Amino acid sequence: MEADEDPRVVEALAELQLYLSDAIAPLVVTDSIATVLTVPPSRVAQEVLSWTASQHRRLGGSVPISDYLYHAVRKLYVMGELNLVQKTAMVAYLESLNAYLLEFCPDEDRELLRQNLASLGEVRSDLAAPVLDVQGVHGGEVAAALQDRSGGGKVTINTERRFAQLVERLARLPLPAATAATEGPGGGRGDVASQLLSVAARNSADAEEFQQYKESLRGAGLGSTMEEVFRSLSRRLPGWVLPEVPGGVGRTAVPTTKTAQAMERMVTLEQDPHEAAHRFQELVQAAIEQHNEGFVARAVTMLELAGALVAEKKVDPAYVQSFREQAHEKLDQQRLRELAEDPGSYPLLRRVLAFFPALQPDGLLRALQTEEKRDQRRLLLELLEVHGAPARALAAERLTTSIAGFGDRDAHFQRNLLHILRRIPRPDEVVADTELQTAVQLSAIGHPALLAKEAIAYLGQTRDERAERALISRVAEYEAALVRPAAPGDDRSDLVVMLDRAVFALARLGTPAAVRAVVHHGLKRLPQLGNTAARLTALAGLDLSADAETVDQLVEAIRGEFPHRIFGFTLKKDASVLLALIEAVSSTPAPAVKNVLADIVQRFPGEAFTQAAAKALAGTELPAPPPQPAPPPTTGASLSGDLELFGLPTLLQNLSQSGTSGTLTITDPVGEELATVELEGGKFRACRAGHLHDEVALFQLIERPTPASFSFLSRVEPAPPADPGRLRDLVPLFFEGTRRYDEFQQAAALVPDYACLRATATRPTPPPEEDDRALLKTVWQRASSGAAALECEAGLPVDSFRVRRMLAHWVEEGSLEPR
């Protein structure tokens, strides 16, 4: 080092060596390379030779010196290619530098170096070459050695170019970033910032390099805290989730979007377990915020990512377990209640609950056992209902254990367990014997009233002869207990309530034996039993015509309650009994019932019970509706709702799993049809969206989600036969659609909808995987003539992704530039 050398030059040359060793990214070293261009080429040549000697000693002498020298020149040349420094200035500087390097190169390698340097300008910028991939005869050996030393995933030239161009675009967009972060898609500041962070995270070799990327963006107004980074990226996730892996935990069936991959990388970049745990917590906190704001699908994506990080031991469970056990407390309780009350939200909500141990069935049941607040117990029960069959099975097991271990001392918890068994349908493969026997046992006299009431309710919705027999026995037991003389101070109000519940449970069963038991009880006139006649109203809505004996009993009882006239005076009875009897037969169109009701209307005008009789008579004598034309055989039940709530992939996945056939129609907020999707036996048959058809139309709907409503009209009979080859499984289409959505978002951040471009002197090349020459020509002509990106897509038989990918590729390679 020269004694009077500028400290800035010393620092720049030191960073040059790090850059040549691939220790720092091109964007980070931009200022230093600009300083290097002010240093005499002879001085820089000395630094390159020093670096070459160091590498040669470290990696061995099997690689020619010329390869190291060419690698250094190429690394500098890339800085100009990426427009990180002025390209013309770099080219001019390298002409002088090359002369020194050729002079210092060994004679036997000098001609090889001269040839390589002469071809430097022919390097394709779209080659996926690591920055340490030395272009020479033995370049692969050097690259492999250096790659093994650094151990990182290397940044391609295309990646650096895109990053630099996104930085430039971000700088042109207005501040503040805080408000722009909430903008919608289309290349706004929030989109560009998110893409920058995503690229930086996915391509950083370690946490330090990622921090350098973030520091370089601070001047553009981008938030620098990791909390803000996760929050920003979370807003750019799609509003749907892909199907879960069957039997898997915390992972979808395919890799996540690049935005989610960037989030994962931000956690795993940290080598310190404490720091990795901190990043993990920030990821989960961002997911919780998305849930609380109503974006449940985004929360699912992030929480399942977090769960996979734990399951795959990419974060140390010891550092995150305590946080994970308490993180559920930050979930908005009202939002949870709203979702738990909507069965349509169950599939997504289950995936949210699965991340938090306290909100899994075992954790919820443990909380339920000790929770004292009524509204909180209700929420816990609703969340258990969301879990469905697993929660029911665990509740049945806990109920058996609790009764065996605690008897009735845990009555409140046992009551809630019975409530869960009643609310969650019993799977067909589950035998009811044990829980039915338990309910029968708990419904007996002597158990706490709150427990017996729930057991009776359970029996009342169990279609089983044992439940019917048990309820009939309970009615008889309660009656017997009530008619016995009461002991001083004996409060029998609970027994009356239990009798009420048992009679209504029998009526709910609706079997002939159950109905006869209800009528037999209701016609009793024992004041100790309470208002037995009022309990007959539980039969309203049942057609009793099949049981002539029961109908005759009720008709006779109705006539027995008619007012009597003696010596011109009318002796009225308690009208409430007659009203209850009329209601009991109000849905029974038997002739005897019609006759007695007509008799009431004729004989007792003006009475309140007469109005009830007339109403019931009208219901039993409704004329048969006129014959209607049979509905078309192609129509069936309809389903409708808000598409934004479900997300198109989630909605179609649910329809597919049911194996249904029909047409899904998507309409905009004013009712105009946007698209239709046809399913056949749960498989994709066809799709139309504007001028697009079939798979392309489906991809377009996924790539450009918009506020819309949907209605699904199922089809009972099959549509005209289709070519079996045209019927496709939906899941692979969702995966491809999600990939296109993700890449479209990246391209749209660089080239938004209304961006206008112009051609440069650089010759355009086709993007990878695009071989439609006619399409390439059409899009190029439109773009180079100044049409906006959205106009370049108009009328073409392809989805937005393919067009925008072309435009972004041409901007990256420099054949197009913003106007």
Side-chain angles (χ1 to χ4, degrees):
M1 169 180 157
E2 299 179 8
D4 58 350
E5 196 163 29
D6 188 335
R8 290 185 305 146
V9 172
V10 175
E11 182 181 357
L13 292 174
E15 286 204 354
L16 172 62
Q17 290 230 17
L18 292 173
Y19 173 56
L20 295 181
S21 299
D22 202 30
I24 52 179
L27 183 71
V28 178
V29 80
T30 300
D31 292 341
S32 293
I33 298 300
T35 301
V36 166
L37 294 183
T38 67
V39 178
S42 59
R43 175 72 182 90
V44 175
Q46 293 174 3
E47 202 70 28
V48 171
L49 288 172
S50 173
W51 174 82
T52 299
S54 172
Q55 298 299 320
H56 197 261
R57 288 193 303 270
R58 183 177 302 164
L59 300 175
S62 61
V63 179
I65 295 294
S66 62
D67 283 1
Y68 292 103
L69 297 177
Y70 173 72
H71 168 72
V73 174
R74 181 174 175 272
K75 290 279 287 182
L76 290 169
Y77 181 80
V78 164
M79 297 294 292
E81 276 285 282
L82 296 176
N83 295 317
L84 298 177
V85 297
Q86 190 177 8
K87 184 175 181 178
T88 56
M90 176 60 76
V91 171
Y93 190 86
L94 290 179
E95 289 180 2
S96 300
L97 179 64
N98 291 348
Y100 286 101
L101 296 180
L102 283 167
E103 180 181 344
F104 294 145
C105 184
D107 292 342
E108 63 272 18
D109 294 334
R110 188 172 294 148
E111 185 56 34
L112 176 61
L113 177 59
R114 182 180 285 108
Q115 293 175 4
N116 284 337
L117 292 176
S119 64
L120 187 61
E122 300 173 4
V123 176
R124 288 259 324 257
S125 65
D126 60 341
L127 293 175
V131 289
L132 286 180
D133 184 9
V134 180
Q135 302 284 331
V137 176
H138 303 283
E141 298 176 20
V142 178
L146 293 175
Q147 174 79 7
D148 181 65
R149 176 175 65 83
S150 61
K154 300 307 173 188
V155 183
T156 65
I157 294 178
N158 258 1
T159 299
E160 291 291 354
R161 183 186 294 277
R162 172 168 288 201
F163 195 88
Q165 289 166 336
L166 284 170
V167 169
E168 181 183 356
R169 172 160 175 73
L170 183 67
R172 295 198 306 266
L173 291 170
L175 291 168
T179 56
T182 60
E183 295 171 4
R189 187 175 183 84
D191 295 302
V192 180
S194 296
Q195 291 301 330
L196 275 167
L197 294 166
S198 179
V199 171
R202 285 185 284 110
N203 294 283
S204 295
D206 50 38
E208 182 180 357
E209 184 173 328
F210 181 56
Q211 183 61 33
Q212 291 172 336
Y213 271 113
K214 290 197 298 168
E215 290 295 331
S216 70
L217 294 173
R218 180 169 294 180
L222 188 64
S224 59
T225 69
M226 290 301 296
E227 183 179 5
E228 292 169 338
V229 170
F230 280 117
R231 187 177 293 120
S232 174
L233 289 177
S234 70
R235 297 189 183 103
R236 306 303 155 186
L237 291 169
W240 65 85
V241 287
L242 293 171
E244 294 176 283
V245 178
V249 178
R251 274 295 196 192
T252 52
V254 295
T256 54
T257 65
K258 290 186 177 180
T259 301
Q261 290 171 4
M263 292 181 174
E264 179 177 14
R265 189 89 175 115
M266 290 173 190
V267 177
T268 58
L269 280 173
E270 299 289 350
Q271 298 301 312
D272 183 344
H274 289 279
E275 287 301 315
H278 192 52
R279 297 288 88 79
F280 177 88
Q281 293 174 17
E282 289 167 332
L283 168 65
V284 173
Q285 179 57 40
I288 290 173
E289 289 177 6
Q290 288 299 307
H291 167 274
N292 292 346
E293 293 171 12
F295 302 105
V296 184
R298 295 177 185 170
V300 168
T301 298
M302 299 168 72
L303 291 173
E304 290 186 348
L305 171 61
L309 288 171
V310 175
E312 296 166 12
K313 294 184 168 51
K314 292 183 178 179
V315 292
D316 191 335
Y319 287 98
V320 300
Q321 188 61 29
S322 176
F323 165 78
R324 193 176 181 187
E325 289 175 351
Q326 298 176 9
H328 68 283
E329 297 173 0
K330 298 181 180 180
L331 291 168
D332 183 83
Q333 299 286 294
Q334 184 57 36
R335 180 72 64 188
L336 279 177
R337 283 190 175 88
E338 292 171 359
L339 293 170
E341 291 171 358
D342 176 17
S345 300
Y346 284 8
L348 281 180
L349 183 55
R350 264 196 299 270
R351 294 170 73 171
V352 170
L353 302 180
F355 174 79
F356 303 96
L359 300 184
Q360 294 169 13
D362 180 67
L364 291 169
L365 286 173
R366 282 189 282 107
L368 185 63
Q369 190 165 12
T370 58
E371 181 58 55
E372 296 181 357
K373 296 180 180 178
R374 183 176 180 180
D375 60 336
Q376 192 63 20
R377 287 199 304 272
R378 179 180 174 185
L379 175 60
L380 294 172
L381 290 168
E382 289 173 341
L383 294 178
L384 283 161
E385 193 171 342
V386 171
H387 281 291
R392 191 184 195 282
L394 194 56
E397 177 186 319
R398 295 287 171 84
L399 179 61
T400 302
T401 303
S402 177
I403 292 173
F406 298 97
D408 290 338
R409 287 176 295 162
D410 209 6
H412 282 88
F413 182 50
Q414 293 163 1
R415 179 261 178 197
N416 287 327
L417 293 173
L418 272 171
H419 177 82
I420 295 167
L421 297 181
R422 185 166 64 85
R423 290 288 300 171
I424 301 176
R426 178 170 53 85
D428 293 337
E429 66 274 12
V430 175
V431 179
D433 291 0
T434 300
E435 61 188 61
L436 182 58
Q437 291 171 6
T438 300
V440 170
Q441 172 190 339
L442 296 178
S443 66
I445 294 177
H447 291 282
L450 79 164
L451 191 54
K453 292 175 191 174
E454 196 66 45
I456 288 170
Y458 172 91
L459 295 171
Q461 65 181 53
T462 303
R463 304 296 174 180
D464 189 290
E465 290 183 2
R466 290 170 292 180
E468 177 190 85
R469 291 196 299 270
L471 286 172
I472 293 173
S473 297
R474 292 294 172 262
V475 169
E477 290 171 8
Y478 299 148
E479 289 178 342
L482 286 168
V483 297
R484 285 197 298 266
D490 187 9
D491 183 4
R492 298 189 171 186
S493 58
D494 279 347
L495 276 178
V496 175
V497 172
M498 306 266 283
L499 182 56
D500 267 336
R501 297 290 179 92
V503 172
F504 276 91
L506 279 170
R508 182 175 183 180
L509 285 178
T511 61
V515 170
R516 284 194 291 271
V518 171
V519 172
H520 178 69
H521 169 80
L523 295 181
K524 291 181 178 179
R525 295 293 183 268
L526 297 174
Q528 303 97 312
L529 304 182
N531 192 345
T532 56
R535 294 174 188 135
L536 291 170
T537 59
L539 299 175
L542 295 178
D543 182 357
L544 311 177
S545 301
D547 189 344
E549 182 179 347
T550 297
V551 171
D552 288 344
Q553 275 186 289
L554 291 170
V555 169
E556 183 180 352
I558 290 172
R559 292 192 179 277
E561 294 298 320
F562 282 179
H564 294 287
R565 296 181 66 85
I566 300 178
F567 304 118
F569 295 96
T570 300
L571 301 179
K572 295 184 178 181
K573 296 185 177 182
D574 183 359
S576 64
V577 175
L578 184 53
L579 284 168
L581 288 164
I582 291 172
E583 188 170 352
V585 299
S586 59
S587 297
T588 301
V593 172
K594 292 181 181 181
N595 290 336
V596 75
L597 294 177
D599 199 15
I600 293 173
V601 171
Q602 181 179 3
R603 293 176 56 187
F604 306 105
E607 298 289 346
F609 59 81
T610 303
Q611 296 177 11
K615 183 178 179 181
L617 183 61
T620 60
E621 291 185 338
L622 286 176
Q628 299 290 331
T634 57
T635 61
S638 180
L639 175 70
S640 62
D642 182 358
L643 186 63
E644 193 172 11
L645 176 64
F646 293 90
L648 181 62
T650 303
L651 174 62
L652 287 175
Q653 174 70 4
N654 291 340
L655 293 172
S656 174
Q657 289 175 341
S658 66
T660 189
S661 300
T663 302
L664 179 73
T665 302
I666 300 171
T667 55
D668 65 17
V670 297
E672 293 292 329
E673 183 179 298
L674 294 176
T676 58
V677 183
E678 292 185 33
L679 300 180
E680 189 69 52
K683 293 183 179 293
F684 176 81
R685 178 186 177 102
C687 180
R688 179 184 56 77
H691 66 283
L692 300 177
H693 296 274
D694 298 329
E695 295 170 7
V696 174
L698 181 64
F699 294 152
Q700 181 74 0
L701 293 174
I702 295 175
E703 292 163 26
R704 286 187 172 275
T706 182
S709 301
F710 72 87
S711 61
F712 181 76
L713 193 62
S714 62
R715 190 168 49 239
V716 177
E717 293 186 357
D723 178 2
R726 287 180 56 83
L727 298 180
R728 297 278 307 277
D729 287 334
L730 278 163
V731 172
L733 296 177
F734 295 156
F735 295 162
E736 174 62 16
T738 299
R739 181 187 74 84
R740 294 186 179 214
Y741 167 88
D742 196 38
E743 295 193 21
F744 173 74
Q745 295 298 314
Q746 298 174 62
L750 186 60
V751 185
D753 285 351
Y754 298 102
C756 296
L757 308 169
R758 62 186 173 196
T760 67
T762 302
R763 182 179 178 182
T765 64
E769 303 178 7
E770 186 56 73
D771 55 4
D772 189 333
R773 293 186 176 275
L775 179 64
L776 285 163
K777 181 178 180 180
T778 299
V779 176
W780 173 259
Q781 288 175 342
R782 292 184 181 184
S784 60
S785 64
L790 199 58
E791 296 172 343
C792 292
E793 303 172 7
L796 296 178
V798 296
D799 54 317
S800 295
F801 153 73
R802 286 181 63 185
V803 176
R804 202 61 60 94
R805 178 180 60 176
M806 295 179 198
L807 299 180
H809 172 76
W810 289 328
V811 169
E812 288 168 2
E813 72 176 7
S815 56
L816 286 178
E817 64 181 9
R819 281 180 174 272

